Amino acid sequence: VGGRRSFPPGSDKDWSKDINTKERKKAIRSAIAATVDKNVVKMHGHRIPDNYPFIIDTSFESFENTKQVFDAFEKLKLTAELERSAQKTVRAGMGKMRGRRYQKKVGPLIVVSGACKLVNSARNIAGIDVVAVSQLNAELLAPGAVPGRLTLFTAAAIDKMEKEKLYA
């Protein structure tokens, strides 16, 4: 009496998709090239300063407090971008009832050389992502498959990318 169904539908389906290595690296290279172009970044909706394509100092990776990160963004004239990424809107449609009530803007991406204190200090700022240069992917550089995200590279990340010939 009772028992189980003979061959019920299982929940063990693998939803991940593989992509060719050369194709993935080419996508990352083209997304990095789009982050350097000022017009493409503006078309993506970011509010950037006039001297946009710049590299930030390696000491940026050692920030321990969120306030230090905020002050650094003020000095880089990116306060308008932080205000833009802090806004959230109510989603249209049925997604409201399915746990996706709010839509949030994507803000700056900070690329660092490796594990550092900045990862913890910047995670409380809305829209900001911090990623190690070795873990960079096309989804972070071009969210929603739209290239041109505002990306800030540290000097150590650029050196590591050149030295290890990542994505080449």
Side-chain angles (χ1 to χ4, degrees), residues 145-164:
V146 180
R149 183 175 184 179
L150 171 60
T151 307
L152 304 174
F153 291 91
T154 61
I158 296 289
D159 291 342
K160 187 173 182 179
M161 197 184 314
E162 289 175 1
K163 204 176 286 183
E164 296 181 9

Side-chain angles (χ1 to χ4, degrees), residues 108-150:
L109 173 69
I110 304 170
V111 181
V112 295
S113 61
C116 61
K117 297 175 182 177
L118 182 67
V119 176
N120 290 334
S121 59
R123 70 179 169 194
N124 202 25
I125 303 173
I128 289 185
D129 292 323
V130 180
V131 65
V133 69
S134 58
Q135 296 174 340
L136 209 55
N137 60 38
E139 181 60 35
L140 286 170
L141 290 166
V146 180
R149 183 175 184 179
L150 171 60

Side-chain angles (χ1 to χ4, degrees), residues 85-96:
S85 62
Q87 295 173 352
K88 61 181 185 178
T89 57
V90 177
R91 183 185 303 272
M94 296 292 286
K96 286 193 293 273

Side-chain angles (χ1 to χ4, degrees), residues 7-43:
F7 302 102
S11 62
D12 56 347
K13 184 172 182 178
D14 185 14
W15 290 96
S16 63
K17 288 190 173 183
D18 293 334
I19 186 169
N20 299 336
T21 305
K22 289 181 182 178
E23 190 175 3
R24 179 177 50 81
K25 287 184 178 181
K26 190 174 185 178
I28 292 171
R29 282 195 305 267
S30 64
I32 288 173
T35 62
V36 178
D37 191 359
K38 190 173 184 178
N39 295 327
V40 175
V41 174
K42 275 193 175 179
M43 284 176 50

Side-chain angles (χ1 to χ4, degrees), residues 42-104:
K42 275 193 175 179
M43 284 176 50
H44 197 272
H46 294 288
R47 297 182 184 142
I48 55 176
D50 294 332
N51 59 344
Y52 166 61
F54 53 84
I55 298 172
I56 54 179
D57 190 39
T58 307
S59 62
F60 201 83
E61 294 182 7
S62 63
F63 287 167
E64 295 184 13
N65 302 328
T66 306
K67 176 125 180 71
Q68 290 176 318
V69 180
F70 262 117
D71 294 340
F73 273 99
E74 285 178 7
K75 289 178 184 174
L76 294 173
K77 298 177 183 166
L78 290 169
T79 51
E81 176 62 24
L82 290 180
E83 290 171 3
R84 185 194 74 87
S85 62
Q87 295 173 352
K88 61 181 185 178
T89 57
V90 177
R91 183 185 303 272
M94 296 292 286
K96 286 193 293 273
M97 293 187 284
R98 295 178 180 153
R100 301 181 299 270
R101 185 166 192 84
Y102 295 105
Q103 285 181 314
K104 297 173 187 164

